[in-house]
Amino acid sequence: MSDSSLLNVAKDDAPQLSAMQTMVITVPDEWIDYNGHMTEWQYYKLFADSGDVFLRAIGFTEDYRHQGYSFFNVQGQQRNLRECRIGSELAVYSEIIGFDDLRLHLYQYAVDIERQITVATGEHMLLHVDTTARRAVKMEPCMYQAVSEAFAKTQPKLAPKGVGQPFFKIA
């Protein structure tokens, strides 16, 4: 399914109603850097861990993985929108922007629950991989069906505000 059907863009960075909550976590001291806020690599790990939860929730099972299939994250972009400090409670929401028989395009939001603001977003392109051959292959019919059903439930009505954002250029 193409992500080209998302013609209108959301007015803000809040998760849309269709996004699935995939994690709630309190920011521990070890996630804080020397600037006194959550370090950038921890946002990426938070999104990666949440992505795994999402994949499990939509039907990527250990049995399927043991058959020799997985999803590899091959491209990603993270947007750090607001500072996040120790003790902040974060909820992560995940949704499918698009997919085909090889690729899965995910978008995620990290929301500070108390302040009700999105502190970061992540956009990821995953490839379906044969882990023995170490190459991209089409999803097995059962996985394609699971992704199709999840897409029907989590596809946003509007394109997320940050989806496909290019990097800022230095003049």
Side-chain angles (χ1 to χ4, degrees), residues 16-21 54 58 94-97 106-107 147-157:
Q16 295 179 53
L17 296 177
S18 58
M20 178 189 298
Q21 185 175 315
F54 183 73
I58 69 169
S94 303
E95 60 196 8
I96 298 173
I97 300 300
L106 300 181
Y107 200 83
V147 170
S148 294
E149 291 171 8
F151 181 67
K153 293 176 185 171
T154 68
Q155 181 190 24
K157 301 284 187 248

Side-chain angles (χ1 to χ4, degrees), residues 28-59:
D29 180 55
E30 58 268 16
W31 289 10
I32 304 302
D33 66 15
Y34 53 79
N35 291 316
H37 57 217
M38 190 166 142
T39 188
E40 66 276 358
W41 67 264
Q42 196 57 55
Y43 283 107
Y44 200 83
K45 181 167 179 0
L46 180 68
F47 287 136
D49 291 348
S50 230
D52 283 343
V53 170
F54 183 73
L55 288 173
R56 298 303 179 165
I58 69 169

Side-chain angles (χ1 to χ4, degrees), residues 44 72-78 103-106 122-127 164-165 167:
Y44 200 83
F72 287 11
N73 189 335
V74 296
Q75 183 178 351
Q77 181 165 326
Q78 174 179 301
R103 298 171 297 176
L104 182 58
H105 187 183
L106 300 181
E123 181 178 0
H124 313 279
M125 183 61 69
L126 286 71
L127 285 182
Q165 292 282 325
F167 285 96

